[in-house]
Amino acid sequence: MLVRIISGDMPRSRLLSLIVLVIGFSLLFAPFLFPGIKSLDTAARIAIFIVLVASYDLLLGYTGIVSFAHTMFYGIGAYGTALALDAWGPSFWAMGLGTLLGALVAAVLALLIGLFSLRVRAIFFAMVTLAIASAFAVLVSQMSAFTGGEDGLTYRIPRELTPAFRLMTDKILDVSINGRLLAYYLIFFCALVLFLVLLRIVNSPFGTTLKAVRDNSFRAEAIGYRVIWYRTGATVLSAVVAALAGSLLAIWLRYTGPATTLSMEIMINILLMVVIGGMGTMYGAVVGATIFILAQTYLQDLMGIASKATDGIPLLSELIAPERWLLWLGVLFILSVYFFPTGIVGRLRGEVK
Amino acid sequence: MTSEHPVLETRDLTIRFGGHVAVDAVSCAFQRGTTTAIVGPNGAGKTTYFNLISGQLTATSGKVLLNGEDLSGLSVAARTDRGIGRAFQLTNLFPSLTVRENVRLVAQARARRGYDLFSVASSHVELIERAEHVLAEVRLIEKADQTVAALSHGDQRKLEVAMLIALQPQVLMFDEPTAGMSVDEVPVVLDLIAGLKRDTDRSILLVEHKMDVIRSLADRIIVLHNGALVADGEPAEVIASPIVQQAYLGREPEEETVDA
Ligand SMILES: Nc1ncnc2c1ncn2[C@@H]1O[C@H](COP(=O)(O)OP(=O)(O)OP(=O)(O)O)[C@@H](O)[C@H]1O
Ligand SMILES: [Mg+2]
């Protein structure tokens, strides 16, 4: 049963199974295990990023396509939901319709980009996506009457998903059972389903063909696969899932703006998470996103504490000042790529390259 | 399929690379159920002729017909769908996948299941069995779980042949299938081709240098030289002809000045 749910794609490493299970259970019971606004927010972002990074892995790891437009699709989903909630008010149907429209726009745009530019060499495709994504980001910030520009949009979501909505007066394990908790579980289960769908796709006949296209597109074509359609199909699927992840973010944050969805920084982070976790494995997205988001959230705090503790030592306390957290993240990244060229998952599975 | 047409035909097939004519107005028909050896010195245009038939290269002029249907303008994949299959001179596999997965992907392409998104590939037992059957034929079944990158050169050549067999095309094009194989591996591949020959629906085009191989397998030989078809006939007759004697048994091909 469980094997069927994960499409027969076992973690193939005892330690990896354990890590994935720990992450899964931690997210499932996050509201009770890690009470507090900040930790719940971190858990929700981890769930969303697992989906976002996994959808990018479908493209980069399984199909061998380098795209810089992934955050654009993420943003399209987020803005779809945000604009709908903003325009039509905080109802579930506005939320659902906006999400659907966002995914649809992402699909059509990905189809066009795929058909027009996947025939060219990989490096040109990467450049084309970079150009389109930059143009899109500029467009969003220019059309401020519609999108809120750089300030973004703040809107209300259905009351049932807000802290004001109480399901019961009593607390369970000291956690109040309110709409915020519902919102978290909406995000969690949507993310879980999307991840399992991606896992199914990469293990399907289509997904295995993507690996053939990645390995040797010339031969894939020669045995009868129309490579351009497989590449375009992967682009569309990954764009739709990214858009849905964006919608989840829009629901969770009740705010959508360029900085949370469209920025190049997020694009780079996604790339890092895929590479750190392990490309072409799906489980890499789970591990990579979790480690990265945790580091991003808590490294600064940790460094703040360490910096205080080493106050007397001049150079050291300078080096581990909280402002330097990006530097240390960079160092971590370089070390992980150096020591685990196949990513954490590749390493755990004992693959060498 | 209409039987009055040859299974494959090329008419005035020509390709020019800059000023160099690599295949020069080759007109030739191949009948169903026959095995034709294509010979010629290095650089004669044999592989290029194959590339024009299977669609990796686009002809400067002339055309390729399969069962009378003009294939001009069709992509490689479309030609494969119609029954043209190819094994490559330079091994051309999916290196990070396992041996079984390489052949399974061919069986899957053949069954046209590639666009299936929601089933699990490993649940299509018939495709896996098909792949394993072919792997047993080429004696690679014990290595089914190895990744291709870890295979020896000879085993990669066998896999190359296995992938063509799994495709079950009408026209099978082998480009020096035994090149670089060890002496004891060669008979396995030759037996396989001989077995395919017995299937009278399939036609084989075989680029090969070894005369004994050609003698035992081919019903007919055509000779390419500087891109042009210079001899065509029964094996014994063509092998005895001066042009083949010169190219294979006499001087170096480069010294040739004969412009037949
Ligand atoms: N894509 C290409 N661009 C330019 N020249 C090419 C190209 N492909 C082949 N040629 C040239 O066409 C000629 C024929 O090459 P081809 O590979 O068909 O020979 P061949 O008969 O298969 O030789 P071999 O026995 O060495 O395999 C050669 O001179 C080669 O350099
Ligand atoms: Mg050749």
Short mmCIF file of all heavy atoms in Angstrom, two decimals, chain B residues 19-80:
data_model
loop_
_atom_site.label_atom_id
_atom_site.label_comp_id
_atom_site.label_asym_id
_atom_site.label_seq_id
_atom_site.Cartn_x
_atom_site.Cartn_y
_atom_site.Cartn_z
N GLY B 19 31.31 21.89 -50.19
CA GLY B 19 31.57 21.44 -51.55
C GLY B 19 31.64 19.93 -51.66
O GLY B 19 31.63 19.36 -52.74
N HIS B 20 31.70 19.26 -50.48
CA HIS B 20 31.94 17.82 -50.46
C HIS B 20 30.64 17.04 -50.60
O HIS B 20 29.72 17.21 -49.81
CB HIS B 20 32.65 17.47 -49.15
CG HIS B 20 32.91 16.03 -48.96
ND1 HIS B 20 33.78 15.33 -49.76
CD2 HIS B 20 32.41 15.14 -48.07
CE1 HIS B 20 33.81 14.07 -49.36
NE2 HIS B 20 32.98 13.93 -48.34
N VAL B 21 30.54 16.19 -51.63
CA VAL B 21 29.34 15.38 -51.81
C VAL B 21 29.54 14.06 -51.07
O VAL B 21 30.30 13.20 -51.50
CB VAL B 21 29.06 15.12 -53.30
CG1 VAL B 21 27.71 14.43 -53.47
CG2 VAL B 21 29.08 16.42 -54.08
N ALA B 22 28.88 13.90 -49.91
CA ALA B 22 29.12 12.72 -49.09
C ALA B 22 28.29 11.53 -49.56
O ALA B 22 28.72 10.39 -49.47
CB ALA B 22 28.80 13.02 -47.63
N VAL B 23 27.08 11.80 -50.07
CA VAL B 23 26.27 10.76 -50.71
C VAL B 23 25.82 11.35 -52.03
O VAL B 23 25.27 12.45 -52.08
CB VAL B 23 25.06 10.36 -49.84
CG1 VAL B 23 24.12 9.45 -50.61
CG2 VAL B 23 25.52 9.68 -48.56
N ASP B 24 26.10 10.61 -53.10
CA ASP B 24 26.00 11.20 -54.43
C ASP B 24 24.97 10.46 -55.27
O ASP B 24 25.26 9.40 -55.83
CB ASP B 24 27.40 11.13 -55.07
CG ASP B 24 27.49 11.97 -56.32
OD1 ASP B 24 26.46 12.56 -56.72
OD2 ASP B 24 28.58 12.03 -56.92
N ALA B 25 23.77 10.97 -55.33
CA ALA B 25 22.72 10.45 -56.20
C ALA B 25 22.58 8.93 -56.11
O ALA B 25 22.62 8.23 -57.12
CB ALA B 25 22.97 10.89 -57.65
N VAL B 26 22.40 8.42 -54.91
CA VAL B 26 22.27 6.97 -54.75
C VAL B 26 20.82 6.55 -54.96
O VAL B 26 19.92 6.97 -54.22
CB VAL B 26 22.77 6.52 -53.36
CG1 VAL B 26 22.52 5.03 -53.17
CG2 VAL B 26 24.24 6.85 -53.19
N SER B 27 20.60 5.74 -55.97
CA SER B 27 19.28 5.17 -56.22
C SER B 27 19.38 3.67 -55.99
O SER B 27 20.20 3.00 -56.60
CB SER B 27 18.83 5.42 -57.66
OG SER B 27 18.64 6.80 -57.86
N CYS B 28 18.54 3.17 -55.09
CA CYS B 28 18.65 1.76 -54.76
C CYS B 28 17.35 1.31 -54.11
O CYS B 28 16.76 2.04 -53.32
CB CYS B 28 19.83 1.58 -53.79
SG CYS B 28 20.29 -0.13 -53.58
N ALA B 29 16.90 0.11 -54.46
CA ALA B 29 15.68 -0.43 -53.86
C ALA B 29 16.02 -1.66 -53.05
O ALA B 29 16.89 -2.45 -53.43
CB ALA B 29 14.67 -0.75 -54.94
N PHE B 30 15.35 -1.81 -51.89
CA PHE B 30 15.60 -2.96 -51.02
C PHE B 30 14.30 -3.73 -50.89
O PHE B 30 13.27 -3.16 -50.53
CB PHE B 30 16.10 -2.48 -49.65
CG PHE B 30 17.35 -1.63 -49.75
CD1 PHE B 30 17.25 -0.25 -49.83
CD2 PHE B 30 18.60 -2.21 -49.78
CE1 PHE B 30 18.39 0.54 -49.93
CE2 PHE B 30 19.75 -1.43 -49.88
CZ PHE B 30 19.65 -0.06 -49.95
N GLN B 31 14.36 -5.02 -51.17
CA GLN B 31 13.15 -5.84 -51.12
C GLN B 31 12.92 -6.40 -49.73
O GLN B 31 13.86 -6.62 -48.97
CB GLN B 31 13.24 -6.98 -52.14
CG GLN B 31 13.45 -6.53 -53.58
CD GLN B 31 12.34 -5.58 -54.09
OE1 GLN B 31 11.18 -5.67 -53.65
NE2 GLN B 31 12.71 -4.67 -54.99
N ARG B 32 11.65 -6.64 -49.43
CA ARG B 32 11.26 -7.22 -48.16
C ARG B 32 11.94 -8.57 -47.94
O ARG B 32 12.06 -9.38 -48.85
CB ARG B 32 9.75 -7.42 -48.18
CG ARG B 32 9.08 -7.53 -46.83
CD ARG B 32 7.56 -7.60 -47.03
NE ARG B 32 7.10 -6.55 -47.95
CZ ARG B 32 6.87 -5.30 -47.57
NH1 ARG B 32 7.01 -4.94 -46.33
NH2 ARG B 32 6.48 -4.40 -48.45
N GLY B 33 12.39 -8.78 -46.73
CA GLY B 33 12.95 -10.08 -46.38
C GLY B 33 14.36 -10.33 -46.87
O GLY B 33 14.84 -11.45 -46.82
N THR B 34 15.01 -9.29 -47.35
CA THR B 34 16.38 -9.49 -47.85
C THR B 34 17.40 -8.86 -46.90
O THR B 34 17.05 -7.99 -46.09
CB THR B 34 16.57 -8.85 -49.24
OG1 THR B 34 16.34 -7.45 -49.13
CG2 THR B 34 15.61 -9.46 -50.24
N THR B 35 18.64 -9.31 -47.02
CA THR B 35 19.73 -8.71 -46.26
C THR B 35 20.75 -8.16 -47.25
O THR B 35 21.26 -8.89 -48.09
CB THR B 35 20.40 -9.77 -45.37
OG1 THR B 35 19.42 -10.26 -44.46
CG2 THR B 35 21.57 -9.16 -44.60
N THR B 36 20.98 -6.87 -47.14
CA THR B 36 21.91 -6.22 -48.07
C THR B 36 23.11 -5.71 -47.28
O THR B 36 22.94 -5.01 -46.29
CB THR B 36 21.24 -5.03 -48.77
OG1 THR B 36 20.01 -5.47 -49.33
CG2 THR B 36 22.13 -4.44 -49.84
N ALA B 37 24.28 -6.07 -47.73
CA ALA B 37 25.49 -5.53 -47.11
C ALA B 37 25.90 -4.28 -47.86
O ALA B 37 25.81 -4.22 -49.08
CB ALA B 37 26.60 -6.56 -47.16
N ILE B 38 26.30 -3.28 -47.10
CA ILE B 38 26.78 -2.04 -47.72
C ILE B 38 28.26 -1.95 -47.39
O ILE B 38 28.64 -1.93 -46.21
CB ILE B 38 26.02 -0.82 -47.19
CG1 ILE B 38 24.52 -1.00 -47.48
CG2 ILE B 38 26.55 0.46 -47.80
CD1 ILE B 38 23.64 0.06 -46.88
N VAL B 39 29.08 -1.94 -48.41
CA VAL B 39 30.52 -1.88 -48.15
C VAL B 39 31.11 -0.65 -48.82
O VAL B 39 30.47 0.01 -49.63
CB VAL B 39 31.25 -3.16 -48.63
CG1 VAL B 39 30.67 -4.39 -47.96
CG2 VAL B 39 31.19 -3.29 -50.13
N GLY B 40 32.33 -0.38 -48.46
CA GLY B 40 33.02 0.78 -49.01
C GLY B 40 34.09 1.20 -48.04
O GLY B 40 33.97 0.93 -46.84
N PRO B 41 35.12 1.86 -48.53
CA PRO B 41 36.22 2.26 -47.65
C PRO B 41 35.78 3.30 -46.62
O PRO B 41 34.68 3.84 -46.71
CB PRO B 41 37.26 2.83 -48.61
CG PRO B 41 36.51 3.15 -49.85
CD PRO B 41 35.35 2.22 -49.92
N ASN B 42 36.63 3.59 -45.67
CA ASN B 42 36.32 4.61 -44.67
C ASN B 42 36.03 5.93 -45.36
O ASN B 42 36.72 6.33 -46.28
CB ASN B 42 37.50 4.81 -43.72
CG ASN B 42 37.74 3.58 -42.87
OD1 ASN B 42 38.72 2.88 -43.06
ND2 ASN B 42 36.83 3.30 -41.98
N GLY B 43 34.96 6.57 -44.89
CA GLY B 43 34.61 7.87 -45.47
C GLY B 43 33.85 7.75 -46.77
O GLY B 43 33.61 8.76 -47.45
N ALA B 44 33.42 6.53 -47.14
CA ALA B 44 32.70 6.35 -48.41
C ALA B 44 31.30 6.94 -48.36
O ALA B 44 30.71 7.21 -49.40
CB ALA B 44 32.62 4.86 -48.74
N GLY B 45 30.76 7.11 -47.17
CA GLY B 45 29.42 7.69 -47.06
C GLY B 45 28.38 6.71 -46.57
O GLY B 45 27.17 6.98 -46.63
N LYS B 46 28.81 5.58 -46.02
CA LYS B 46 27.86 4.55 -45.58
C LYS B 46 27.01 5.04 -44.41
O LYS B 46 25.77 4.94 -44.43
CB LYS B 46 28.62 3.28 -45.17
CG LYS B 46 29.54 2.74 -46.26
CD LYS B 46 30.34 1.53 -45.81
CE LYS B 46 31.32 1.77 -44.68
NZ LYS B 46 32.50 2.59 -45.02
N THR B 47 27.68 5.58 -43.40
CA THR B 47 26.93 6.08 -42.24
C THR B 47 26.05 7.26 -42.64
O THR B 47 24.92 7.40 -42.17
CB THR B 47 27.90 6.46 -41.11
OG1 THR B 47 28.64 5.30 -40.73
CG2 THR B 47 27.17 7.00 -39.90
N THR B 48 26.58 8.09 -43.51
CA THR B 48 25.80 9.24 -43.96
C THR B 48 24.55 8.78 -44.72
O THR B 48 23.46 9.35 -44.56
CB THR B 48 26.67 10.15 -44.85
OG1 THR B 48 27.87 10.45 -44.14
CG2 THR B 48 25.96 11.43 -45.20
N TYR B 49 24.69 7.73 -45.51
CA TYR B 49 23.55 7.15 -46.23
C TYR B 49 22.49 6.69 -45.22
O TYR B 49 21.30 6.97 -45.37
CB TYR B 49 24.06 5.98 -47.07
CG TYR B 49 23.03 5.35 -48.00
CD1 TYR B 49 22.29 6.12 -48.91
CD2 TYR B 49 22.81 3.97 -47.99
CE1 TYR B 49 21.37 5.54 -49.76
CE2 TYR B 49 21.90 3.37 -48.84
CZ TYR B 49 21.18 4.16 -49.73
OH TYR B 49 20.26 3.57 -50.56
N PHE B 50 22.93 6.03 -44.16
CA PHE B 50 22.01 5.62 -43.09
C PHE B 50 21.34 6.83 -42.44
O PHE B 50 20.13 6.83 -42.20
CB PHE B 50 22.76 4.82 -42.01
CG PHE B 50 22.84 3.34 -42.29
CD1 PHE B 50 22.46 2.81 -43.52
CD2 PHE B 50 23.31 2.47 -41.31
CE1 PHE B 50 22.53 1.45 -43.77
CE2 PHE B 50 23.38 1.10 -41.55
CZ PHE B 50 23.00 0.59 -42.78
N ASN B 51 22.14 7.85 -42.18
CA ASN B 51 21.58 9.05 -41.54
C ASN B 51 20.50 9.70 -42.40
O ASN B 51 19.54 10.28 -41.87
CB ASN B 51 22.68 10.08 -41.27
CG ASN B 51 23.50 9.74 -40.04
OD1 ASN B 51 22.99 9.10 -39.12
ND2 ASN B 51 24.75 10.15 -40.00
N LEU B 52 20.66 9.62 -43.70
CA LEU B 52 19.65 10.19 -44.59
C LEU B 52 18.37 9.35 -44.56
O LEU B 52 17.26 9.87 -44.62
CB LEU B 52 20.19 10.26 -46.02
CG LEU B 52 21.28 11.31 -46.25
CD1 LEU B 52 21.91 11.13 -47.63
CD2 LEU B 52 20.70 12.71 -46.12
N ILE B 53 18.54 8.03 -44.47
CA ILE B 53 17.37 7.15 -44.45
C ILE B 53 16.60 7.30 -43.13
O ILE B 53 15.38 7.45 -43.12
CB ILE B 53 17.79 5.68 -44.67
CG1 ILE B 53 18.35 5.50 -46.09
CG2 ILE B 53 16.61 4.74 -44.44
CD1 ILE B 53 19.00 4.16 -46.35
N SER B 54 17.35 7.30 -42.01
CA SER B 54 16.64 7.36 -40.73
C SER B 54 16.30 8.79 -40.32
O SER B 54 15.59 9.00 -39.34
CB SER B 54 17.44 6.65 -39.64
OG SER B 54 18.75 7.12 -39.59
N GLY B 55 16.80 9.77 -41.05
CA GLY B 55 16.33 11.13 -40.85
C GLY B 55 17.19 12.03 -39.98
O GLY B 55 16.83 13.17 -39.73
N GLN B 56 18.36 11.54 -39.52
CA GLN B 56 19.22 12.41 -38.72
C GLN B 56 19.80 13.54 -39.59
O GLN B 56 20.12 14.60 -39.09
CB GLN B 56 20.37 11.62 -38.09
CG GLN B 56 20.02 10.95 -36.78
CD GLN B 56 19.40 9.58 -36.98
OE1 GLN B 56 19.48 9.02 -38.07
NE2 GLN B 56 18.81 9.03 -35.94
N LEU B 57 19.93 13.26 -40.89
CA LEU B 57 20.38 14.30 -41.81
C LEU B 57 19.29 14.50 -42.87
O LEU B 57 18.54 13.59 -43.19
CB LEU B 57 21.68 13.86 -42.50
CG LEU B 57 22.95 13.82 -41.64
CD1 LEU B 57 24.09 13.19 -42.44
CD2 LEU B 57 23.33 15.20 -41.16
N THR B 58 19.23 15.73 -43.37
CA THR B 58 18.24 16.05 -44.40
C THR B 58 18.95 16.09 -45.75
O THR B 58 19.98 16.74 -45.90
CB THR B 58 17.60 17.42 -44.11
OG1 THR B 58 17.11 17.39 -42.77
CG2 THR B 58 16.45 17.69 -45.05
N ALA B 59 18.39 15.40 -46.72
CA ALA B 59 19.01 15.30 -48.04
C ALA B 59 19.04 16.65 -48.73
O ALA B 59 18.13 17.46 -48.58
CB ALA B 59 18.26 14.29 -48.89
N THR B 60 20.12 16.90 -49.49
CA THR B 60 20.18 18.08 -50.33
C THR B 60 19.18 17.91 -51.48
O THR B 60 18.46 18.85 -51.84
CB THR B 60 21.60 18.26 -50.91
OG1 THR B 60 22.54 18.10 -49.85
CG2 THR B 60 21.76 19.61 -51.55
N SER B 61 19.14 16.71 -52.04
CA SER B 61 18.12 16.40 -53.04
C SER B 61 17.89 14.89 -53.04
O SER B 61 18.63 14.14 -52.42
CB SER B 61 18.58 16.88 -54.43
OG SER B 61 19.75 16.20 -54.79
N GLY B 62 16.83 14.49 -53.74
CA GLY B 62 16.48 13.08 -53.78
C GLY B 62 15.55 12.72 -52.63
O GLY B 62 15.25 13.55 -51.79
N LYS B 63 15.07 11.48 -52.64
CA LYS B 63 14.16 11.10 -51.56
C LYS B 63 14.30 9.67 -51.09
O LYS B 63 14.93 8.84 -51.72
CB LYS B 63 12.72 11.43 -51.93
CG LYS B 63 12.25 10.89 -53.25
CD LYS B 63 10.83 11.41 -53.47
CE LYS B 63 10.43 11.38 -54.93
NZ LYS B 63 9.14 11.98 -55.16
N VAL B 64 13.67 9.42 -49.94
CA VAL B 64 13.64 8.09 -49.34
C VAL B 64 12.18 7.65 -49.29
O VAL B 64 11.31 8.42 -48.88
CB VAL B 64 14.18 8.13 -47.89
CG1 VAL B 64 14.12 6.75 -47.25
CG2 VAL B 64 15.60 8.68 -47.85
N LEU B 65 11.91 6.42 -49.77
CA LEU B 65 10.54 5.92 -49.74
C LEU B 65 10.47 4.66 -48.91
O LEU B 65 11.31 3.77 -49.05
CB LEU B 65 10.06 5.60 -51.16
CG LEU B 65 10.12 6.77 -52.16
CD1 LEU B 65 10.64 6.30 -53.49
CD2 LEU B 65 8.76 7.40 -52.30
N LEU B 66 9.46 4.59 -48.04
CA LEU B 66 9.24 3.38 -47.25
C LEU B 66 7.90 2.82 -47.70
O LEU B 66 6.87 3.49 -47.57
CB LEU B 66 9.23 3.70 -45.76
CG LEU B 66 9.11 2.49 -44.84
CD1 LEU B 66 10.41 1.71 -44.80
CD2 LEU B 66 8.72 2.92 -43.43
N ASN B 67 7.89 1.62 -48.24
CA ASN B 67 6.67 1.03 -48.80
C ASN B 67 5.99 2.01 -49.75
O ASN B 67 4.77 2.12 -49.77
CB ASN B 67 5.69 0.64 -47.69
CG ASN B 67 6.28 -0.39 -46.77
OD1 ASN B 67 6.77 -1.43 -47.22
ND2 ASN B 67 6.28 -0.10 -45.48
N GLY B 68 6.77 2.73 -50.50
CA GLY B 68 6.23 3.66 -51.48
C GLY B 68 5.88 5.03 -50.93
O GLY B 68 5.59 5.95 -51.68
N GLU B 69 5.94 5.20 -49.60
CA GLU B 69 5.61 6.49 -49.01
C GLU B 69 6.86 7.36 -48.90
O GLU B 69 7.89 6.91 -48.39
CB GLU B 69 5.01 6.29 -47.61
CG GLU B 69 4.57 7.58 -46.95
CD GLU B 69 4.39 7.49 -45.44
OE1 GLU B 69 4.67 6.40 -44.87
OE2 GLU B 69 4.01 8.49 -44.83
N ASP B 70 6.75 8.58 -49.40
CA ASP B 70 7.87 9.51 -49.34
C ASP B 70 8.09 9.97 -47.89
O ASP B 70 7.17 10.47 -47.26
CB ASP B 70 7.56 10.72 -50.23
CG ASP B 70 8.76 11.64 -50.37
OD1 ASP B 70 9.79 11.39 -49.72
OD2 ASP B 70 8.64 12.62 -51.13
N LEU B 71 9.29 9.78 -47.39
CA LEU B 71 9.56 10.15 -45.99
C LEU B 71 10.10 11.57 -45.83
O LEU B 71 10.36 12.01 -44.72
CB LEU B 71 10.55 9.17 -45.36
CG LEU B 71 10.14 7.70 -45.27
CD1 LEU B 71 11.21 6.89 -44.56
CD2 LEU B 71 8.80 7.55 -44.54
N SER B 72 10.27 12.27 -46.95
CA SER B 72 10.83 13.62 -46.87
C SER B 72 10.04 14.47 -45.87
O SER B 72 8.82 14.44 -45.87
CB SER B 72 10.77 14.32 -48.23
OG SER B 72 11.37 13.50 -49.20
N GLY B 73 10.75 15.21 -45.06
CA GLY B 73 10.09 16.11 -44.13
C GLY B 73 9.66 15.44 -42.84
O GLY B 73 9.22 16.11 -41.92
N LEU B 74 9.76 14.10 -42.77
CA LEU B 74 9.38 13.44 -41.52
C LEU B 74 10.56 13.43 -40.55
O LEU B 74 11.70 13.25 -40.95
CB LEU B 74 8.93 12.01 -41.79
CG LEU B 74 7.58 11.84 -42.51
CD1 LEU B 74 7.25 10.36 -42.63
CD2 LEU B 74 6.47 12.56 -41.76
N SER B 75 10.24 13.61 -39.26
CA SER B 75 11.28 13.61 -38.24
C SER B 75 11.82 12.20 -38.02
O SER B 75 11.24 11.22 -38.50
CB SER B 75 10.70 14.13 -36.93
OG SER B 75 9.78 13.19 -36.42
N VAL B 76 12.91 12.13 -37.30
CA VAL B 76 13.50 10.84 -36.96
C VAL B 76 12.47 9.95 -36.26
O VAL B 76 12.27 8.78 -36.61
CB VAL B 76 14.73 11.03 -36.05
CG1 VAL B 76 15.24 9.69 -35.55
CG2 VAL B 76 15.83 11.79 -36.78
N ALA B 77 11.78 10.53 -35.26
CA ALA B 77 10.81 9.74 -34.49
C ALA B 77 9.67 9.26 -35.38
O ALA B 77 9.21 8.12 -35.25
CB ALA B 77 10.27 10.57 -33.32
N ALA B 78 9.23 10.10 -36.31
CA ALA B 78 8.14 9.70 -37.20
C ALA B 78 8.58 8.56 -38.11
O ALA B 78 7.81 7.64 -38.40
CB ALA B 78 7.68 10.91 -38.03
N ARG B 79 9.82 8.61 -38.57
CA ARG B 79 10.33 7.52 -39.41
C ARG B 79 10.45 6.23 -38.61
O ARG B 79 10.18 5.14 -39.11
CB ARG B 79 11.69 7.91 -40.01
CG ARG B 79 11.57 9.05 -41.01
CD ARG B 79 12.93 9.48 -41.53
NE ARG B 79 12.80 10.76 -42.23
CZ ARG B 79 13.49 11.08 -43.32
NH1 ARG B 79 14.35 10.23 -43.82
NH2 ARG B 79 13.31 12.25 -43.89
N THR B 80 10.86 6.37 -37.35
CA THR B 80 10.96 5.19 -36.48
C THR B 80 9.58 4.58 -36.29
O THR B 80 9.42 3.36 -36.38
CB THR B 80 11.57 5.59 -35.13
OG1 THR B 80 12.81 6.24 -35.36
CG2 THR B 80 11.79 4.37 -34.26
#
